[in-house]
Amino acid sequence: MLGPLEPARSPLPPPVREACEATDWGEYAVLDVVTFLPATSRGFEGDRQRIETYRYRERAPPVDRYENGERAYRIQRLTRPLLDRLE
């Protein structure tokens, strides 16, 4: 396993594409689309997949920021130049 950071590929999945379209790229430099997989236990987190978006004006944090100990997660990290190359 390579880790939670996944390379962005074309075509972008609908949730990632929608997050890109909703991002003001003049204000934000980095977009993280984080998919939290269903939890394996019945603790704090539910048993459904959840997708969240995070936007950063400059640098994105280390990927372990999204770790919560209950769910596995995947991240697609995008920038405007990367998105331009994918389109």
Side-chain angles (χ1 to χ4, degrees), residues 12 19 39 42 55:
L12 295 171
R42 297 278 184 192
R55 293 171 177 89

Side-chain angles (χ1 to χ4, degrees), residues 35-41 45-50 70-74:
T35 302
F36 292 94
L37 304 176
T40 56
S41 67
E45 295 283 339
D47 62 351
R48 302 186 113 186
Q49 177 174 292
R50 186 176 75 233
E70 178 100 8
R71 291 177 171 232
Y73 59 99
R74 296 185 311 251

Side-chain angles (χ1 to χ4, degrees), residues 32-86:
D32 279 357
V33 180
V34 184
T35 302
F36 292 94
L37 304 176
T40 56
S41 67
R42 297 278 184 192
F44 174 73
E45 295 283 339
D47 62 351
R48 302 186 113 186
Q49 177 174 292
R50 186 176 75 233
I51 298 172
E52 297 181 3
T53 57
Y54 298 89
R55 293 171 177 89
Y56 301 97
R57 288 186 167 84
E58 294 181 17
R59 297 181 62 151
V63 296
D64 63 358
R65 172 189 180 145
Y66 304 112
E67 178 66 48
N68 68 7
E70 178 100 8
R71 291 177 171 232
Y73 59 99
R74 296 185 311 251
I75 303 165
Q76 285 197 318
R77 181 165 284 169
L78 296 114
T79 61
R80 183 71 231 190
L82 175 60
L83 186 60
D84 288 343
R85 284 195 309 263
L86 292 174

